[in-house]
C-alpha cells in the first residue's frame, strides 16, 4: 500500500530522557556557578599564603541517570586568576561542543528525515512498480481471456459453419432424392398414361374391329337380303331399270328425293362418326341402297377422301344408321349419295 502523504513533515524519533538530561545539566551549571561564587568570596576573605584548589568535573551527558544526592556545601577555595581563565575556556569549549553536538544532532535528524523520505519514495516506487506489474498482469490476463474467448467464438463459428454445410449437404441430398422420386413418379405416370393410351388404343382398335365385323356382317346380311329381293324381282319377269337391278330407276325405288332429305340423313349419320384425327380437306361420298321401308341394303364409298381411316369411319357411321329415314312420301329412296366431312 502507498503511504498517504501527511501534511506534517517527517521527524526523527525523539530520544528518551533528553529533557531530563538538559535539566540535570542546568542544575549542575547552577551548582557550578554557586561554587565558583562562594569560592571567590572565600578566597578574598582568606589570609594571604593560604592556597586551596577545588576541581569539579563537568558531567558528560550520555544516558539519563538518576540525579546524585546534593553535595555537602564546602567552602571552596578562592580560585586563582589563571583558574578563572581556564574555567572560562572550558565553558567556551563546552559551549562549542554543545553547539557541535546540536548541529550533529540536527544533521542526524536531517539525514534521518532524508532517509525516511527516500525510504518512503522507494516504497512508493516499489508500490507503483507493483501496481504497474499488477495492472500489466491484469491486462495480460484480460488479453489472454479475450483471446481465449475469440478462439472459442472462432471454434463455435467453425462448428456452426460445418453443421450448416452438413445440413446444406443433407438438404441437397434430400432434394436430389425428391427429384429422383419425382422423376420416377413422372416416369411411372408416363408409363401408366402410355399403358392407358395403349389400352384405349387397343380398346378403340377392338371396338373398330368389332364395328367393322358388325358392319361386315350387316353388309353381308343386306347383300343377302338384296340378292333375295333381286331374285324375287327376277322371278316376276321385270326387265326395266328398276330398283332390284340398278337402284337408280324411277318409281318407288327412284333417286328423286325431297330437298331436305339429305340433311335429315346427315343428322342421323353424323353423331355415329367416331373420329379424332385431322379434319382438314377430308370429304367422302358414300353410295347408299335401301328398301322403301328404310332398311339399309348396302353402303359403299364411291369417292374416297384419300384417308382410309376416315373413309372407314364414315362408312361405319352410315352402316350403323339402319333403318334410313323415310322421305316426305313415307318411303325411303332406293339409292342416294351422302357426302360426309369431319365436324369442325
Amino acid at each position: 500500500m502507498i503511504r498517504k502523504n501527511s501534511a506534517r513533515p517527517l521527524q526523527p524519533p525523539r530520544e528518551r530522557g533528553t529533557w531530563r538530561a538538559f535539566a540535570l545539566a542546568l542544575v549542575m551549571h547552577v551548582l557550578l556557578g554557586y561554587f565558583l561564587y562562594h569560592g571567590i568570596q572565600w578566597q578574598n576573605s582568606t589570609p594571604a599564603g593560604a592556597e586551596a584548589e577545588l576541581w569539579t568535573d563537568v558531567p558528560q551527558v550520555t544516558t539519563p541517570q538518576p540525579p546524585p544526592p546534593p553535595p555537602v556545601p564546602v567552602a571552596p577555595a578562592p580560585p586563582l586568576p589563571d583558574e578563572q581563565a581556564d574555567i572560562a575556556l572550558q565553558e567556551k569549549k563546552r559551549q562549542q561542543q554543545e553547539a557541535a553536538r546540536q548541529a550533529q544532532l540536527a544533521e542526524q535528524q536531517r539525514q534521518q528525515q532524508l532517509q525516511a523520505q527516500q525510504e518512503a519514495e522507494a516504497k512508493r516506487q516499489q508500490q507503483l512498480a507493483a501496481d504497474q506489474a499488477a495492472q500489466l498482469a491484469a491486462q495480460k490476463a484480460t488479453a489472454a481471456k479475450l483471446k481465449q474467448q475469440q478462439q472459442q467464438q472462432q471454434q463455435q463459428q467453425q462448428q456452426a459453419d460445418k453443421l450448416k454445410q452438413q445440413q446444406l449437404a443433407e438438404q441437397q441430398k434430400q432434394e436430389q432424392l425428391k427429384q429422383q422420386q419425382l422423376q420416377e413418379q413422372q416416369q411411372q405416370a408416363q408409363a401408366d398414361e402410355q399403358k392407358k393410351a395403349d389400352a384405349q388404343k387397343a380398346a378403340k382398335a377392338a371396338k373398330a374391329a368389332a364395328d367393322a365385323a358388325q358392319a361386315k356382317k350387316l353388309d353381308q346380311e343386306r347383300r343377302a337380303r338384296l340378292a333375295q329381293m333381286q331374285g324375287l324381282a327376277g322371278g316376276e319377269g321385270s326387265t326395266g331399270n328398276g330398283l332390284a337391278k340398278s337402284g337408280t330407276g324411277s318409281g318407288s325405288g327412284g333417286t328423286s328425293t325431297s330437298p331436305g332429305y339429305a340433311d335429315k340423313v346427315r343428322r342421323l349419320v353424323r353423331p355415329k362418326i367416331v373420329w379424332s384425327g385431322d379434319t382438314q380437306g377430308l370429304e367422302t361420298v358414300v353410295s347408299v341402297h335401301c328398301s322403301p321401308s328404310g332398311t339399309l341394303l348396302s353402303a359403299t364409298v364411291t369417292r374416297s377422301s384419300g384417308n382410309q381411316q376416315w373413309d372407314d369411319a364414315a362408312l361405319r357411321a352410315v352402316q350403323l344408321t339402319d333403318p334410313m329415314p323415310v322421305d316426305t312420301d313415307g318411303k325411303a329412296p332406293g339409292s342416294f349419295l351422302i357426302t360426309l366431312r369431319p365436324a369442325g
Side-chain angles (χ1 to χ4, degrees), residues 27-28 31 35 67-73:
V27 170
M28 294 302 293
L31 291 175
F35 290 147
V72 179

Side-chain angles (χ1 to χ4, degrees), residues 204-234:
K204 288 182 180 180
K207 185 178 180 181
D211 292 341
Q214 185 178 2
K216 185 175 181 181
K217 182 178 179 181
L218 292 174
D219 186 60
Q220 290 177 355
E221 291 177 354
R222 292 188 185 94
R223 289 181 182 277
R225 286 184 292 180
L226 181 60
Q228 184 179 4
M229 293 177 64
Q230 288 178 352
L232 292 174

Side-chain angles (χ1 to χ4, degrees), residues 116-175:
Q117 291 178 356
Q118 291 177 354
E119 291 178 355
E121 182 66 20
K123 289 182 179 179
R124 191 181 68 81
Q125 293 295 334
Q126 290 177 358
Q127 186 65 32
L128 182 61
D131 293 341
Q132 290 179 353
Q135 185 177 4
L136 182 60
Q139 291 178 356
K140 289 183 179 179
T142 304
K145 186 176 180 180
L146 181 61
K147 185 176 181 181
Q148 185 178 4
Q149 291 178 355
Q150 290 178 354
Q151 290 178 355
Q152 291 178 356
Q153 290 178 358
Q154 289 178 357
Q155 291 178 358
Q156 291 177 358
Q157 185 66 28
Q158 290 176 358
Q159 291 177 357
D161 294 340
K162 186 176 180 180
L163 181 60
K164 187 176 181 181
Q165 291 178 359
Q166 291 178 356
Q167 292 177 352
L168 184 60
E170 186 66 22
Q171 290 178 358
Q172 291 179 353
K173 186 177 180 180
Q174 292 294 334
E175 290 293 335

Side-chain angles (χ1 to χ4, degrees), residues 327-343:
D327 202 353
T328 55
D329 58 356
K331 296 180 180 180
S335 62
F336 55 89
L337 300 176
I338 302 177
T339 303
L340 297 176
R341 302 181 184 86

Side-chain angles (χ1 to χ4, degrees), residues 20-335:
R20 183 181 297 176
F22 287 153
L24 291 175
L26 181 61
V27 170
M28 294 302 293
H29 281 83
V30 171
L31 291 175
L32 179 60
Y34 177 77
F35 290 147
L36 288 176
Y37 175 76
H38 286 285
I40 294 171
Q41 292 294 330
W42 176 76
Q43 185 179 6
N44 292 331
S45 63
T46 302
E51 294 183 0
E53 291 183 357
L54 180 63
W55 295 93
T56 303
D57 294 332
V58 179
Q60 295 181 358
V61 180
T62 56
T63 56
Q65 295 179 358
V72 179
V74 178
L80 298 176
D82 293 337
E83 291 177 355
Q84 293 179 356
D86 291 338
I87 292 172
L89 182 62
Q90 289 178 1
E91 181 66 19
K92 185 177 181 180
K93 184 177 181 181
R94 187 189 63 77
Q95 291 178 357
Q96 291 177 354
Q97 290 177 353
E98 183 67 21
R101 191 178 69 82
Q102 293 294 333
Q104 185 178 3
L105 181 60
E107 181 65 21
Q108 290 178 356
Q109 292 178 354
R110 191 181 67 81
Q111 292 294 334
Q112 290 176 357
Q113 185 177 3
L114 181 61
Q115 184 178 1
Q117 291 178 356
Q118 291 177 354
E119 291 178 355
E121 182 66 20
K123 289 182 179 179
R124 191 181 68 81
Q125 293 295 334
Q126 290 177 358
Q127 186 65 32
L128 182 61
D131 293 341
Q132 290 179 353
Q135 185 177 4
L136 182 60
Q139 291 178 356
K140 289 183 179 179
T142 304
K145 186 176 180 180
L146 181 61
K147 185 176 181 181
Q148 185 178 4
Q149 291 178 355
Q150 290 178 354
Q151 290 178 355
Q152 291 178 356
Q153 290 178 358
Q154 289 178 357
Q155 291 178 358
Q156 291 177 358
Q157 185 66 28
Q158 290 176 358
Q159 291 177 357
D161 294 340
K162 186 176 180 180
L163 181 60
K164 187 176 181 181
Q165 291 178 359
Q166 291 178 356
Q167 292 177 352
L168 184 60
E170 186 66 22
Q171 290 178 358
Q172 291 179 353
K173 186 177 180 180
Q174 292 294 334
E175 290 293 335
Q176 292 178 357
L177 183 60
K178 287 181 180 179
Q179 290 180 359
Q180 184 176 1
Q181 291 178 354
L182 182 61
Q183 290 178 357
E184 291 178 355
Q185 291 177 358
Q186 290 178 354
Q187 292 177 358
Q188 185 66 30
Q190 290 178 358
D192 293 340
E193 291 179 357
Q194 186 65 31
K195 288 181 180 179
K196 186 176 180 181
D198 294 341
Q200 291 178 354
K201 187 175 181 181
K204 288 182 180 180
K207 185 178 180 181
D211 292 341
Q214 185 178 2
K216 185 175 181 181
K217 182 178 179 181
L218 292 174
D219 186 60
Q220 290 177 355
E221 291 177 354
R222 292 188 185 94
R223 289 181 182 277
R225 286 184 292 180
L226 181 60
Q228 184 179 4
M229 293 177 64
Q230 288 178 352
L232 292 174
E236 292 177 358
S238 175
T239 58
N241 296 327
L243 180 60
K245 292 185 178 180
S246 62
T248 59
S250 60
S252 61
T255 57
S256 60
T257 59
S258 63
Y261 184 75
D263 293 334
K264 186 186 293 185
V265 173
R266 289 191 189 94
R267 285 195 297 270
L268 293 175
V269 174
R270 189 175 297 278
K272 297 179 177 60
I273 298 175
V274 179
W275 177 250
S276 59
D278 190 13
T279 59
Q280 297 294 329
L282 298 180
E283 182 179 297
T284 300
V285 179
V286 179
S287 175
V288 179
H289 297 274
C290 59
S291 64
S293 60
T295 302
L296 184 63
L297 299 178
S298 66
T300 57
V301 177
T302 59
R303 189 175 66 190
S304 175
S305 64
N307 189 330
Q308 184 63 37
Q309 295 179 355
W310 161 249
D311 293 341
D312 293 341
L315 181 61
R316 191 179 306 113
V318 174
Q319 291 173 350
L320 292 176
T321 308
D322 186 18
M324 289 289 176
V326 295
D327 202 353
T328 55
D329 58 356
K331 296 180 180 180
S335 62

